[in-house]
Amino acid sequence: MAADSAPPLALGVTRILARSFDGRSETSLDPDLRVFVTDLVRPYGLPVREDLLAEGVGHSYEELAEGLLAEALADGVPVDLLILAFDSPDVRPGAPSSLALSRSCPGAPLAFALCDQGSAVAFSALRVAAEYQRTGACRRAVVVLAEQTALHYRPAAPVDLPERHSVVVLVLDETADVELIVRQISALDGRKAAEVVGAEVGTLGADAAVLLGSGLATEPVPEVAAAAGLPFAGLPFTGLWAELAERLPEWQEKGRPVLAAGFDRRLGVLSTLTLRAGP
């Protein structure tokens, strides 16, 4: 079992907003999308979903996130780093949406995207932000999590797709009053992942607020009551974070420590985020 952990982040979550959407963006009708998807799947012999391409299904992550990003950053404080993290692919065939979103941020931040890590990529984005902060070059970071409903080819194995488009924006600032710890452990099965989560909950005490991602929903987790929070239904990637956005203000007001945990069964990776009052 390989473990990756980090000391407490000097970045605290100062704001987290979530929003879901229906409909589609005009980007889904871009003829370059067919070219891009065809080139993408050709080496693997996967069939393209011509019906979805013809209908124009799906949503651009830039269009999903730009309004919520502007709301989250309405104070105009410059941002040093923007990370877009996603599991299901974007429908924008041209320049990465992360670069486009950076133009909506005060401060012209460094911007890039993370993907191909399943549900673990959201936690990885927080760890990457922490590493940039430790260099002294990042006092404020934004992590954008996004998923959209359309997959324009038939996958080799069944995958969970969201029932609606969704985006979550986390704003991270240097702070001394919030301890934020991200841990990721690989090579686990579901039973062992549940045991690790139970042990972490035990260290936080009986007052801990717990959110379990969909990968842990079927596992009995020690120390966690059946009433523990579960993610928004129909959002396999952003659901955990949308639930955190809704509940975190109340939990912080009450001074409760928070543990959010996700387990990607395809990769065998357990990820946890701990939030509690610091020194």
Side-chain angles (χ1 to χ4, degrees), residues 55-125:
E55 185 180 348
V57 176
H59 221 298
S60 156
Y61 289 153
E62 177 192 357
E63 294 177 43
L64 282 180
E66 59 184 352
L68 194 62
L69 188 63
E71 181 180 341
L73 301 175
D75 58 12
V77 177
V79 175
D80 302 305
L81 175 69
L82 181 144
I83 303 174
L84 171 64
F86 55 91
D87 185 18
S88 54
D90 199 349
V91 300
R92 180 187 174 105
S97 288
S98 55
L99 300 182
L101 287 171
S102 71
R103 294 194 288 270
S104 299
C105 294
L110 171 69
F112 55 86
L114 295 179
C115 59
D116 296 331
Q117 298 179 35
S119 61
V121 73
F123 297 86
S124 297

Side-chain angles (χ1 to χ4, degrees), residues 81-248:
L81 175 69
L82 181 144
I83 303 174
L84 171 64
F86 55 91
D87 185 18
S88 54
D90 199 349
V91 300
R92 180 187 174 105
S97 288
S98 55
L99 300 182
L101 287 171
S102 71
R103 294 194 288 270
S104 299
C105 294
L110 171 69
F112 55 86
L114 295 179
C115 59
D116 296 331
Q117 298 179 35
S119 61
V121 73
F123 297 86
S124 297
L126 294 174
R127 292 180 62 195
V128 169
E131 293 305 316
Y132 270 89
Q133 190 277 334
R134 291 189 184 99
T135 69
C138 178
R139 297 178 60 87
R140 197 181 208 205
V142 176
V143 172
V144 179
L145 311 176
E147 60 183 335
Q148 58 89 27
T149 62
L151 190 63
H152 293 88
Y153 59 89
R154 297 192 185 279
V159 297
D160 292 329
L161 290 173
E163 296 175 2
R164 54 197 182 280
H165 316 305
S166 175
V167 63
V168 178
V169 174
L170 297 97
V171 181
L172 310 172
D173 279 302
E174 285 190 330
T175 178
D177 59 359
V178 176
E179 185 180 55
L180 190 157
I181 301 173
V182 178
R183 293 189 175 93
Q184 293 185 290
I185 306 174
S186 59
L188 295 181
D189 58 22
R191 180 188 61 80
K192 186 61 179 176
E195 291 177 359
V196 173
V197 172
E200 291 206 23
V201 174
T203 66
L204 295 176
D207 191 42
V210 181
L211 288 177
L212 301 178
S214 55
L216 291 164
T218 60
E219 297 290 342
V221 178
E223 305 292 338
V224 177
L230 295 174
F232 281 18
L235 298 175
F237 178 59
T238 62
L240 177 70
W241 305 94
E243 188 75 25
L244 183 63
E246 181 171 287
R247 299 189 179 207
L248 186 60

